[in-house]
Amino acid sequence: MTLKVGDKAPVFCLKDVDGNNFDSESLIGKKMVVIYFYPKDNTAICSAQACSFRDNYQDFQDYGAELIGVSSDNQQSHRDFSKKYKLPFVLLSDENQKIKKQFGVSSQFFGLLSSRITFVIDENGIIQMIFDSVLGKAHITKALKKVKELAIINK
């Protein structure tokens, strides 16, 4: 399944860093959401990307958007990663890669690592932007620009 701009975002439930169930319907369809899929905790590009999202988190919040990071790492890995880098946003563990498949996130490097893809979803649950790039920090710039545009349109 490949999602495109204009599609409704899939509904899902995953475990957060504390092992709690996170239901996407608690946010999607209620406010803007930025979901970013990344390959692996504690790797150079993924750490830089997470820290850049962290450093810009308040800007996303100011425009009414929530951030969610998703990878196939387990909850303990996410907990350690989140604590190490003081990440203020939700990290979700997609160990069986079910959500990755729902969002059409493919694997790279002979299926060993997930692609790095960011989705911006509006308050109606509609995908407004899909950005696919190995350049981790570029995701923050693109996502924040789209969130700002949507916030201005919805005023």
Side-chain angles (χ1 to χ4, degrees):
M1 175 178 162
T2 301
L3 294 173
K4 58 189 179 312
V5 171
D7 286 348
K8 189 153 185 66
V11 172
F12 61 89
C13 188
L14 287 175
K15 298 282 186 190
D16 68 13
V17 297
D18 296 318
N20 299 316
N21 284 326
F22 174 86
D23 184 347
S24 67
E25 290 182 305
S26 67
L27 292 176
I28 294 177
K30 295 180 172 51
K31 66 185 303 185
M32 275 191 285
V33 179
V34 176
I35 300 176
Y36 80 99
F37 290 84
Y38 65 99
K40 190 147 183 62
D41 292 340
N42 292 304
T43 58
I45 296 173
C46 294
S47 296
Q49 181 182 27
C51 289
S52 191
F53 269 123
R54 176 201 63 206
D55 295 346
N56 289 277
Y57 182 67
Q58 190 59 53
D59 292 333
F60 283 98
Q61 292 276 284
D62 290 347
Y63 288 107
E66 190 55 63
L67 290 171
I68 300 170
V70 180
S71 83
S72 58
D73 291 306
N74 64 38
Q75 294 164 26
Q76 184 62 50
S77 177
H78 279 344
R79 188 177 308 116
D80 295 344
F81 185 57
S82 183
K83 185 177 178 181
K84 178 179 181 179
Y85 292 106
K86 297 178 174 63
L87 304 178
F89 49 86
V90 175
L91 290 183
L92 299 175
S93 180
D94 187 23
E95 288 184 84
N96 65 12
Q97 300 185 16
K98 179 181 174 189
I99 308 313
K100 177 180 126 174
K101 290 176 185 153
Q102 277 186 284
F103 275 82
V105 176
S106 64
S107 294
Q108 296 176 338
F109 307 111
F110 308 105
L112 299 175
L113 292 175
S114 290
S115 294
R116 187 179 311 280
I117 299 179
T118 298
F119 294 82
V120 175
I121 302 163
D122 70 16
E123 67 280 350
N124 297 311
I126 305 301
I127 297 169
Q128 295 296 324
M129 186 196 86
I130 302 171
F131 183 67
D132 183 351
S133 173
V134 296
L135 303 174
K137 288 187 178 182
H139 289 254
I140 292 82
T141 305
K142 294 280 188 183
L144 190 54
K145 180 180 178 190
K146 181 50 105 176
V147 163
K148 285 178 185 178
E149 287 173 11
L150 293 171
I152 289 168
I153 290 170
N154 293 322
K155 276 192 173 184

